[in-house]
Amino acid sequence: MSPFIRVFLPFSAGYLISYLARVINAVAGAPISAEFGLTPGELGLLTSLYFFAFALAQLPFGVLIDKFGPRRVQSMLMLFAGAGSVLFAHATSYAELSVARLMIGFGTATCLTASFTAYRLWFPADRIPMINGLHMAAGSVGAFFGGTPTEALVQALGWRGVFDVIAGATVLASVATLLMVPRRDMQGTPPPMRRLLSELRGILAAKAFWRLCPVSSMVQGVLLSVGSLWAGPWLRDAANVSASGAAAWLSLIAIALMIGFLGFGWLVQQAARGGRSSERVVIAGILAFFIVQFLMIVLPPQTAAPLWFLYALTGAVGVSCFAVLAPAFPRAASGRVNTALNFFVFVVAFLIQWLFGEFLDFFPAPGGGATARGYQIGFTILLALQALSLLPMLLTRQPAPVED
């Protein structure tokens, strides 16, 4: 049986579910807010707790992935995420919702980095950018399900029933990962924990890491935090789109993400195979993402609404930073490199998703939600921060690849 079936399919299924859980509040957040009387700031904090748990888990789980292998780590954690989904479905207070959201984030924390580590172990180096792109495309399928399909399920089952369904799917993905992925998914004897931690400190101190970390964190953090929550309220509040219309747009955004992940994965792979700098592809994609955001800021909301498709399409470039960064470090450190970068990505995503909601509380709309002016100023601040984060990558030279 090929690695694509035994390795890619179970890991990508887990990531699909994790992405659905990440974005679901863009649709389910409205009935949840109505039932519990949540403000935009409270909904932003609740939703962003997923990213907070993600961030806290990255560094320790990166060490565990390199020691025990991605298969065992991810399959066990997904069970924890399933338990969190059950608790969320039956929560009776904001505190219970918060604990459950933390559990879901904690349990799905390795669905990206464990997968990237497994792919680097099981696939040829020249196929990694495309495999990573396919994996991210699976996540965008989860984002698609978080749009119109979730809206339909919420109408049929209620938001609580939807989370019960997610719980069952999470458990199935855990079992599939444990049973399908080869048992010997790490090569040789696992190194001692002291050595792993020492090497992690070296990764965090490396100049190669800090060339990419700021812009990768900001671009991905903005894409994740805005796309997984605030795109929906913006469509409803600023562009006056109906709830069902906003859900349809969210599904289109997911399709754009899929195209973007696959497209940038292919472009980076082709650049590397052709002896050209894959980093130039990433920089071009980031600049395109900046232009789209600028247009969304200056154009009237009703005119700018279709730009969400291009927002997701170009913003997908951020994940290519993983493939660009990987050759600067040994293959044996893949888990720690990926989780170290992901740690900062999700710290930024948590802060943006939470603080953006708090910021919108200063621009309340008469009928609830926030004004278009509030979104405009908030997006301007985010664009300025992203532009600053690109400077280290532009002003320093790309390091030579490390020979394993």
Side-chain angles (χ1 to χ4, degrees):
M1 195 178 295
S2 71
F4 185 86
I5 295 175
R6 296 195 64 184
V7 179
F8 177 79
L9 290 184
F11 276 109
S12 62
Y15 190 60
L16 185 156
I17 295 167
S18 76
Y19 218 106
L20 172 60
R22 180 186 303 174
V23 306
I24 194 169
N25 278 5
V27 170
I32 293 171
S33 295
E35 181 172 333
F36 289 91
L38 305 183
T39 66
E42 289 170 331
L43 177 62
L45 177 58
L46 173 65
T47 307
S48 69
L49 288 175
Y50 178 98
F51 293 138
F52 180 72
F54 238 75
L56 288 182
Q58 294 306 305
L59 296 180
F61 286 164
V63 174
L64 294 178
I65 288 170
D66 281 340
K67 185 170 182 63
F68 298 110
R71 166 184 159 270
R72 282 190 284 179
V73 173
Q74 177 156 322
S75 60
M76 294 299 102
L77 285 174
M78 289 289 282
L79 292 177
F80 194 77
S85 297
V86 172
L87 177 59
F88 198 96
H90 300 276
T92 58
S93 67
Y94 185 75
E96 289 182 4
L97 288 173
S98 299
V99 171
R101 187 70 176 168
L102 284 168
M103 290 176 65
I104 295 170
F106 191 79
T108 56
T110 62
C111 286
L112 178 68
T113 51
S115 304
F116 281 3
T117 303
Y119 301 155
R120 199 173 181 207
L121 291 168
W122 283 97
F123 291 92
D126 64 348
R127 293 184 62 194
I128 294 301
M130 193 61 199
I131 291 295
N132 285 357
L134 286 170
H135 182 81
M136 298 304 299
S140 64
V141 174
F144 174 84
F145 288 155
T148 300
T150 292
E151 174 74 14
L153 278 177
V154 168
Q155 295 296 324
L157 305 176
W159 67 267
R160 295 180 184 275
V162 171
F163 276 92
D164 277 329
V165 171
I166 292 176
T170 304
V171 173
L172 288 176
S174 170
V175 173
T177 303
L178 188 65
L179 298 181
M180 291 178 64
V181 177
R183 293 180 181 274
R184 294 184 179 180
D185 52 3
M186 299 296 285
Q187 300 172 354
T189 303
M193 189 66 71
R194 181 178 298 179
R195 176 181 158 190
L196 291 171
L197 293 173
S198 176
E199 291 173 352
L200 174 60
R201 288 193 293 271
I203 292 168
L204 293 173
K207 291 181 180 179
F209 182 82
W210 287 105
R211 282 187 74 250
L212 279 172
C213 182
V215 69
S216 178
S217 300
M218 281 303 304
V219 168
Q220 292 187 75
V222 167
L223 178 70
L224 292 170
S225 59
V226 174
S228 65
L229 177 61
W230 297 116
W234 182 92
L235 287 163
R236 296 189 295 268
D237 297 344
N240 298 317
V241 176
S242 66
S244 60
W249 269 113
L250 292 174
S251 292
L252 286 174
I253 289 171
I255 294 173
L257 276 175
M258 183 187 306
I259 296 171
F261 289 141
L262 291 174
F264 281 113
W266 182 82
L267 288 172
V268 169
Q269 178 174 283
Q270 293 304 113
R273 284 180 172 177
R276 298 181 298 274
S277 173
S278 57
E279 189 171 289
R280 292 182 182 180
V281 175
V282 173
I283 292 173
I286 290 171
L287 293 176
F289 186 46
F290 290 176
I291 292 171
V292 172
Q293 291 178 75
F294 176 76
L295 291 175
M296 294 180 69
I297 291 168
V298 299
L299 292 175
Q302 290 80 1
T303 305
L307 288 174
W308 280 106
F309 190 89
L310 292 178
Y311 178 94
L313 183 73
T314 54
V317 70
V319 76
S320 297
C321 291
F322 286 95
V324 172
L325 180 63
F329 297 91
R331 188 185 300 266
S334 296
R336 283 158 293 163
V337 173
N338 289 334
T339 51
L341 182 57
N342 225 27
F343 167 76
F344 290 100
V345 169
F346 282 98
V347 166
V348 171
F350 160 70
L351 291 173
I352 291 174
Q353 194 165 77
W354 168 35
L355 295 178
F356 197 85
E358 297 292 343
F359 179 80
L360 292 179
D361 282 345
F362 290 100
F363 300 89
T371 63
R373 181 65 172 169
Y375 286 102
Q376 183 184 46
I377 296 173
F379 287 163
T380 302
I381 294 171
L382 292 181
L383 179 56
L385 292 174
Q386 290 170 83
L388 289 173
S389 73
L390 181 60
L391 293 179
M393 189 176 181
L394 294 178
L395 298 177
T396 56
R397 183 174 298 179
Q398 184 177 10
V402 171
E403 297 293 335
D404 285 312

